[in-house]
Amino acid sequence: MAKPLKVDEVWLARIAELLDNMEFGSLHIVVHEGQIVQMERTERKRFENSTANARYIGEAGSRRTDSRSARG
């Protein structure tokens, strides 16, 4: 028989903190024996149009963190 889930104010505050300012994503809550033992937050970034995507990729792709040649 399953144990009833114990969720107090501390856990509710933790859940709210992880969900705060999340626009796209998910919150995965792992429960063992009626207690929350782990939470995983996955956040997605979405871009409205292809111009924004190209500009974002171009900025990230133009930065080099290593002075060595990629071939070498």
Side-chain angles (χ1 to χ4, degrees), residues 34-63:
Q35 292 186 336
I36 297 173
V37 295
Q38 180 175 331
M39 293 191 292
E40 299 173 20
R41 175 181 164 155
T42 303
E43 189 169 356
R44 306 278 187 229
K45 298 291 183 187
R46 295 189 180 179
F47 301 95
E48 292 297 319
N49 60 43
S50 60
T51 305
N53 284 338
R55 185 171 39 235
Y56 178 77
I57 292 169
E59 290 172 3
S62 66
R63 293 187 201 129

Side-chain angles (χ1 to χ4, degrees), residues 7-42:
V7 181
D8 58 14
E9 293 299 319
V10 173
W11 280 110
L12 291 175
R14 289 175 180 169
I15 292 168
E17 181 180 336
L18 288 171
L19 292 173
D20 192 32
N21 295 321
M22 183 188 297
E23 190 172 1
F24 300 101
S26 62
L27 179 63
H28 183 91
I29 300 173
V30 179
V31 177
H32 285 230
E33 297 183 358
Q35 292 186 336
I36 297 173
V37 295
Q38 180 175 331
M39 293 191 292
E40 299 173 20
R41 175 181 164 155
T42 303

